[in-house]
């Protein structure tokens, strides 16, 4: 019959956990960008400002690029 000592190199004994025992605990680390944070907080004015800038800035940049393109091609002289 094969024992745990025969299977494991170095002759160390196997340490088995009971089936109903708790699994491996997760490390305490901050949530990643796609993870749900454990503590939720109320939105602040800073959050609203940053969200507004992230939405409005690309729209203004696109309009400015179109106007600059029209100006550089000479279509602005109409």
């Amino acid at each position: 019959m094969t024992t745990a000592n025969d299977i494991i190199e170095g002759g160390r004994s196997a340490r088995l956990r009971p089936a109903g025992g708790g699994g491996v605990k997760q490390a305490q680390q901050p949530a990643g960008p796609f993870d749900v944070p454990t503590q939720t907080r109320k939105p602040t004015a800073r959050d609203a400002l940053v969200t507004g800038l992230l939405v409005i800035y690309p729209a203004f940049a696109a309009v400015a690029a179109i106007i600059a393109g029209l100006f550089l091609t000479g279509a602005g002289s109409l």
Side-chain angles (χ1 to χ4, degrees):
M1 184 168 147
T2 305
T3 63
N5 287 337
D6 296 335
I7 296 172
I8 299 174
E9 296 178 13
R12 294 187 208 154
S13 63
R15 294 184 183 189
L16 301 176
R17 291 177 290 192
V24 178
K25 292 183 179 179
Q26 291 184 349
Q28 296 294 330
Q29 60 184 8
F34 301 107
D35 294 335
V36 177
T38 56
Q39 296 176 352
T40 56
R41 58 181 177 84
K42 295 172 67 175
T44 61
R46 178 179 177 257
D47 296 334
L49 177 65
V50 170
T51 303
L53 288 175
L54 288 173
V55 171
I56 301 249
Y57 176 75
F60 283 140
V63 171
I66 292 170
I67 291 172
L70 291 173
F71 177 74
L72 291 174
T73 58
S77 61
L78 292 177

